[in-house]
Structures are given as C-alpha cells and as structure tokens.
Amino acid sequence: MIKHYNIPVFMPELACPYRCVYCNQFSITGLSDIIKPEEVKIIIDNHLSSFKDEYRFVEVAFFGGNFTGLPLEMQNDYLEVVQPYLDKNLIHGIRCSTRPDYISYHRVKELRQYGMRNIELGAQSTNDLVLNKCKRGHSYKDIVEASQIILSEDITLGLQMMIGLPSSNKEIDSQTARDIVNLGAKETRIYPCIVVKDTELEKMYMSEEYNSLSLKDAISESADLYSYFIDNQVKVLRIGLHASNELDGEAYVTGPYHKNFAEMVFSHIWKEKFENLRNSESEKLKSKDIIIKVPKSQINHAIGWKGENKKMLLEKFRSVDFKTIDDGQFDFTITSKEELPTIIADSRMPEEAKKNLKKLGNVLFLNPTEITYNSISSHPDIFFFQRDNSLIYAPNAPKKIIKELRKRKVNLIEGKKEVGKKYPKTVPYNAVGIGNLLIHNLKHTDSTILSLYENHIHVNQGYTRCNLLALNENVFITSDKGIFNEVNRQQTTDNSHCPHEFHVETYGRTSVLYIDPKQIKLEGQKNGFFPGCCGVWKNNLIVCGSTKNLKDKEELDKFLKDNNFNLIELYDGDLIDVGSVFVINN
C-alpha cells in the first residue's frame, strides 16, 4: 500500500487583501513570520528524512495564505525550490490553497507546468449574502469560474467550506455542500466558524449580532455533511480547525472549537448508524451478548468518543464486543455471540495468532496439562475428535474446557479411552472423520468413534489428525507419505500410478496434497506436521503461520483455488503445529 505524505509550508496572512470578519490568521495558525524560500528546502529535507514508508506519494503543500496572490516572482521562488525534488522523484506533486478571485487561465497553466496537482479554493460558502456579510471580497460567480479554470487544466479541485457563518444556517450550509459536489470538486475541508479575539466577529458576538453554533450542533451538522461528501466521492481532507496553543488559550472567545472535533464527528456518525438499526434486527438480539464488526480504521470511532456509543448499546444489549474487519468506511455487521462458532485452540500459539483467531469466533484456549508429554499437552486433537458439530472427548480431557463447551451448548459425547502419557495412549482421538469415512490406525481408535462410521481406512500413522486434514469428503492435505498412498489406494481401483514427489494426486473425485513436514515447527520435536497447523471453517483453511516460505506454496495456492477454498493466515510468522484448530458451528 502506498502511503500519502504532505509536507506543509504555512504562509499566514500572506497576500490576502481582505480581512474576513472571523479572521485573525495569527490566532488560527499560531504563526506570524513569513517563511523565506530558502527555508522551504530545510522543511522538505527534514520531512523526507522522517518518512519511513518505502512506497509513498509525497506532496509539498503551500497552505495558510493566498498563494496565487503572492508577487509572481515570490511564487516562482517557492516553486523553484521544489523542482529538484520533483526531478529526482522524491516529491511527486505540489498543492496550494488560494482564493477564488486570484485564479486565471494563464497562471494555472504555468502552475501545472511547475508540478501543481491540487488547488484548494477557500470558498467557505456559495451563498452571496453570507459571503458579503463575512466580507470575503468575492462572489459565488468567482468560485464557479475559478473551479472551471482549475478543472480545465486537469488539476484536482478542492473547495473548502465553513459552517455556522454569519447569516448562514443549516440549509444554506447544505446548499454549499451540494454546490461543491456539482462544481466537480474531489476534495473538501469542513471548518466550523469560531469567534477569536481581535476580529470583527468578536464585536458582532459581543453586541449579540452573531451567535455561534453549539459544539453539539456543529458536530451533528458536520457528520451529515461528511456522509454526504463521502456518498458523492468527495474526499474530506479535514474536519475542524487545527489545534494550537493560541486557540487553546486566550485567543479563543466562543464557538464549536475542540481539539478532538473530528473524532467527535466520526463518533456521532457511528452513533446514528447504531441508533438506526432496524427494530426487527434490534429486537431479535435484545438482551443478548453481541459482536459488532467494524473497519479497523474506525474501531475507536465506533466505540465512540469517551465510549459513548458502547454505553448506549449496553442499554439494549447484555454485552457488546467490537471486532475489526479490514475493509470499508462505515460498514458494520452485528451478530449475537451465540451465532458465532466455538473454536478450540492451543493456548501456546503466538499472541498475534490468538488475537486474529478471536475475530472468527468464541475461542477456548487449551492450556498445557500433565496428562501427556509436553509437546502435545495443549493440542486439541489429542483430547477431542470432531464429527460435524459434535465432539467426542476423552474422559480425562480438561474439565474446565468441557464445562465451557456445555455452557455453549456444544453437542458432547464422552469417549471410552483416557489419554495417556505415551504413544499409543496419546492417539485414541487423533483420527479423521469425513462423511461416513473414518481414517485412523484402527488398532488404537476409541470405540465410540469407531461406532459412528460405516467405512474405515486403516493407516499405520497413529497421529492421523496431526498428519491429515480433510477439506471435504474428496479433498485432503497430508504430511505423511504412508497416509498419502493409502488414501489414494483406497479411493481408486487404479493404483498403478506411482505418485511423483508426493505432491498432488487426483483419482476420480479425490484429491490429496502432500506438504513436507520438515518445514513445520513443534516445540520439543524435530518437526511438526502441516495439518496440525490447520483448521477448516466453511470454505476457509485457517493456518497458524504464514505459507509464503513453503516450498509447496505454489501447489498449495492452486490446490485451494481449484477446490474453492480461501486461506486465512493467523499471523505472519513460522508455521507451527498447534494440534489443529477445531471450529464448531453452534
């Protein structure tokens, strides 16, 4: 993914011929000195040295003033500083902010040649009455003409707006947003109007000629505008004013200023979405434990400013957990915890893997026991055998796990044999069952499991589940050459073909993939086995580790694709045999 960086160069009060009623540029930006062209190079170098991402897109941004209102020579001096960086591909573009009435065809053409890619116009409003009241010094017609010129040179247009201006209201602000979309802008900023010292607006406020928006109303209106812009493919670059020592101190008089204004707006958007859950959906889940999955980038906003959204949801639901998904903006799913699968896994798998596994369902982690030897003492496939959504368990399986499984209403069947310290007493439940077929070293299989299946395949490997994974009745992955041969032999009348390199063999409807176990880690052992890293959930192969370094990687990917399976890697690290991952749908 390419990371986007801006290198900001602020030029307060520079070349602006008007003083808007709300403007005291020093108080807003916290800067008073005009930056010299030679200082721009220092700013660029300092920023470039701090960027960590190798794949990046970098722009120099001339902000805070009326860039195209500067003397032409000064504009060019600034732009010339950037040219060597553009030539070396260290900088990829330039953007600036300026006034709508300081745009001309000729100058915009020149700016394009200098590498200008984005021009933001401080429109603030598209209502002429509001513009006059604010003493902006330009009209809506100026905004329209400037926008057309910028777009004609294939430069990305940005139109900034302010809410709560004198003589404006929510409907006028909404019309400004509609005009911004209709004028072809692809970027915008939403600023709430606030009253700062030493401005005409302060006098208007003191004489009760002007009342500012409340923080609550500004948040609500900004949330509506943000959603409108996103729906119309306009990128919102910023919501709210930049925090500064001046605004946090004596410069601020009144109005909807808060250094966390944007976070409050996003929180409000999520609050409205949760409030607007369909009644039938809400009633069905009422008084239940629920999971809400939201995009990773929005998790804190969904929980809400100071947790307000979660507190609201807890008035309706017994418990609320938030989990993340990778994609989306404000999309979410809400489900009852009871509807999520129950998962049994080794507690010794890496923390990142455990964290990602929890996103898939309700996980019970099996802790090491003294029942058997250490390497496999927390492996689920030593104590449990899964048939569909039922579990056959060893009589001496950890009682805490059995108790939790009962609470979750998993169908449990107690087996006959206890698990012991050494082989073969470690393997009675380490079998593979799929459909009406059981595959195991039948000398050691628990009788309860044997009785459940009509068809049996005997293999010499007692640790069958560690070495064999059934994706479905006809598709298998194994790390044991004996199992590979036996499954193929039993599934076809034609066994004259000798498998080459023990990789993929397909006979009729049966496919078996062999993966070399030497690539798999297992604590205390020379190696583990690939199926022991895995679990199956719907059409997903869950793997504890990354398959990127497998010598069988290409074959595995093709095998999964051919059989319509997705790959879920729990963490980016070594493949670890964790004694299987059991997923039981409730």
Side-chain angles (χ1 to χ4, degrees):
M1 181 181 289
I2 296 177
K3 176 75 171 179
H4 192 151
Y5 290 100
N6 267 352
I7 298 177
V9 181
F10 288 101
M11 298 171 294
E13 294 191 85
L14 210 53
C16 189
Y18 301 95
R19 175 59 64 87
C20 301
V21 296
Y22 50 77
C23 183
N24 179 335
Q25 189 74 1
F26 174 76
S27 294
I28 293 174
T29 64
L31 298 171
S32 58
D33 295 330
I34 296 174
I35 191 167
K36 298 177 178 63
E38 56 267 27
E39 293 177 295
V40 174
K41 183 180 186 305
I42 298 172
I43 292 172
I44 293 174
D45 289 338
N46 287 340
H47 276 81
L48 287 176
S49 66
S50 71
F51 297 156
K52 305 298 182 186
D53 295 83
E54 180 181 356
Y55 300 103
R56 60 190 184 226
F57 183 87
V58 183
E59 288 182 316
V60 172
F62 293 103
F63 284 154
N66 176 23
F67 186 79
T68 55
L70 293 171
L72 192 59
E73 183 179 352
M74 185 177 288
Q75 290 183 51
N76 292 342
D77 285 344
Y78 283 127
L79 296 169
E80 288 290 349
V81 172
V82 187
Q83 299 311 297
Y85 297 94
L86 289 168
D87 294 339
K88 294 176 184 177
N89 206 35
L90 296 171
I91 301 293
H92 307 101
I94 305 172
R95 64 166 57 227
C96 74
S97 61
T98 192
R99 288 175 56 89
D101 48 339
Y102 276 75
I103 290 291
S104 69
Y105 279 109
H106 178 70
R107 187 52 184 160
V108 170
K109 280 182 178 291
E110 292 178 334
L111 292 173
R112 181 66 172 140
Q113 292 172 355
Y114 272 111
M116 189 70 68
R117 298 174 59 96
N118 302 62
I119 297 179
E120 294 184 45
L121 300 178
Q124 317 312 0
S125 178
T126 57
N127 183 283
D128 281 333
L129 176 63
V130 175
L131 293 173
N132 287 332
K133 187 71 173 179
C134 292
K135 298 185 179 180
R136 283 289 298 163
H138 67 78
S139 67
Y140 175 51
K141 182 182 177 183
D142 294 320
I143 298 172
V144 173
E145 291 177 353
S147 297
Q148 291 171 347
I149 291 170
I150 292 166
L151 292 173
S152 72
E153 287 300 312
D154 199 28
I155 293 176
T156 299
L157 171 66
L159 290 171
Q160 303 170 2
M161 70 173 293
M162 294 185 74
I163 62 173
L165 289 167
S167 296
S168 191
N169 55 42
K170 188 173 181 178
E171 179 50 42
I172 291 174
D173 292 343
S174 297
Q175 183 59 53
T176 293
R178 291 191 290 271
D179 290 335
I180 286 173
V181 171
N182 293 333
L183 286 170
K186 292 301 177 186
E187 297 176 340
T188 190
R189 297 174 193 261
I190 305 169
Y191 295 121
C193 180
I194 66 168
V195 180
V196 295
K197 279 192 172 183
D198 302 323
T199 62
E200 188 171 338
L201 192 62
E202 181 187 18
K203 297 175 183 176
M204 294 168 65
Y205 168 70
M206 298 302 289
S207 64
E208 299 185 353
E209 185 183 347
Y210 171 76
N211 287 317
S212 63
L213 287 174
S214 68
L215 182 61
K216 180 180 178 181
D217 288 343
I219 289 169
S220 176
E221 185 175 337
S222 297
D224 291 342
L225 292 171
Y226 182 90
S227 298
Y228 173 76
F229 284 128
I230 295 304
D231 289 344
N232 286 277
Q233 290 77 54
V234 177
K235 185 177 182 180
V236 181
L237 300 175
R238 184 168 184 86
I239 306 173
L241 294 166
H242 288 273
S244 71
N245 291 333
E246 287 74 21
L247 286 178
D248 289 331
E250 294 182 357
Y252 172 78
V253 177
T254 190
Y257 168 72
H258 196 287
K259 60 184 178 182
N260 299 112
F261 186 81
E263 286 82 353
M264 292 175 169
V265 170
F266 289 129
S267 174
H268 185 83
I269 292 172
W270 279 104
K271 181 181 180 182
E272 288 191 328
K273 285 186 171 291
F274 294 145
E275 285 178 336
N276 291 333
L277 283 170
R278 293 193 307 272
N279 287 335
S280 58
E281 205 173 3
S282 180
E283 285 301 315
K284 188 177 82 170
L285 298 172
K286 193 172 182 179
S287 298
K288 289 192 174 183
D289 302 308
I290 64 164
I291 302 284
I292 300 178
K293 293 185 178 181
V294 301
K296 190 182 297 182
S297 62
Q298 290 287 329
I299 181 72
N300 291 331
H301 303 316
I303 293 171
W305 172 248
K306 295 186 176 180
E308 64 179 358
N309 295 340
K310 185 171 184 178
K311 291 173 186 174
M312 176 189 73
L313 290 164
L314 284 171
E315 294 176 2
K316 187 177 294 185
F317 306 110
R318 186 166 55 199
S319 73
V320 179
D321 284 342
F322 285 86
K323 295 184 182 292
T324 61
I325 54 177
D326 289 332
D327 301 319
Q329 179 92 24
F330 292 104
D331 301 322
F332 71 97
T333 58
I334 179 170
T335 56
S336 167
K337 282 187 181 180
E338 295 173 5
E339 297 173 14
L340 293 174
T342 294
I343 301 173
I344 308 176
D346 185 348
S347 65
R348 293 187 289 189
M349 66 169 53
E351 287 303 317
E352 185 182 350
K354 291 164 74 172
K355 180 180 177 181
N356 287 323
L357 190 60
K358 289 177 183 178
K359 296 177 183 178
L360 303 179
N362 300 311
V363 188
L364 296 174
F365 288 109
L366 189 61
N367 293 318
T369 70
E370 298 294 328
I371 295 170
T372 187
Y373 62 90
N374 185 58
S375 295
I376 61 171
S377 65
S378 53
H379 282 193
D381 58 18
I382 298 302
F383 299 96
F384 297 97
F385 172 87
Q386 183 177 358
R387 183 176 188 183
D388 299 324
N389 291 319
S390 297
L391 287 177
I392 294 86
Y393 65 96
N396 60 338
K399 289 183 172 54
K400 183 178 179 181
I401 294 288
I402 301 301
K403 183 178 179 181
E404 284 297 320
L405 289 168
R406 285 205 173 98
K407 280 171 62 177
R408 298 180 190 196
K409 300 180 180 178
V410 173
N411 187 34
L412 295 172
I413 303 169
E414 186 174 73
K416 304 297 183 186
K417 293 185 177 182
E418 290 193 343
V419 171
K421 199 77 174 176
K422 297 179 180 179
Y423 185 88
K425 291 186 177 181
T426 51
V427 300
Y429 301 89
N430 201 260
V432 172
I434 189 74
N436 284 319
L437 175 66
L438 177 70
I439 305 171
H440 197 210
N441 185 321
L442 301 175
K443 297 176 185 177
H444 308 304
T445 314
D446 183 81
S447 60
T448 305
I449 297 172
L450 279 170
S451 68
L452 295 174
Y453 292 89
E454 296 176 11
N455 303 315
H456 301 159
I457 293 179
H458 173 78
V459 293
N460 290 326
Q461 174 62 267
Y463 290 108
T464 307
R465 177 58 187 86
C466 294
N467 281 279
L468 180 66
L469 180 69
L471 300 185
N472 58 43
E473 293 184 38
N474 305 297
V475 181
F476 301 86
I477 299 175
T478 185
S479 285
D480 185 281
K481 294 178 181 179
I483 292 176
F484 181 91
N485 288 331
E486 189 62 30
V487 171
N488 280 323
R489 188 181 72 79
Q490 294 283 345
Q491 291 293 310
T492 180
T493 56
D494 176 12
N495 68 351
S496 61
H497 180 77
C498 180
H500 176 65
E501 292 297 321
F502 295 100
H503 284 298
V504 180
E505 295 297 332
T506 303
Y507 297 91
R509 295 176 57 228
T510 301
S511 296
V512 188
L513 172 69
Y514 175 81
I515 292 182
D516 190 341
K518 294 176 184 176
Q519 308 168 88
I520 313 303
K521 291 194 172 184
L522 175 59
E523 184 181 351
Q525 303 298 318
K526 186 177 179 181
N527 60 261
F529 308 102
F530 183 75
C533 305
C534 302
V536 175
W537 176 51
K538 299 179 180 178
N539 268 47
N540 300 289
L541 176 66
I542 302 168
V543 183
C544 185
S546 172
T547 61
K548 64 185 178 184
N549 294 322
L550 271 179
K551 65 180 182 181
D552 322 274
K553 172 64 173 170
E554 187 175 336
E555 291 159 285
L556 174 62
D557 288 346
K558 184 178 185 303
F559 188 78
L560 294 175
K561 182 179 179 182
D562 289 347
N563 291 288
N564 298 313
F565 264 75
N566 303 310
L567 181 65
I568 298 177
E569 296 178 334
L570 294 179
Y571 83 112
D572 186 15
D574 292 329
L575 289 164
I576 301 175
D577 186 335
V578 290
S580 312
V581 175
F582 285 8
V583 182
I584 308 108
N585 291 312
N586 296 337

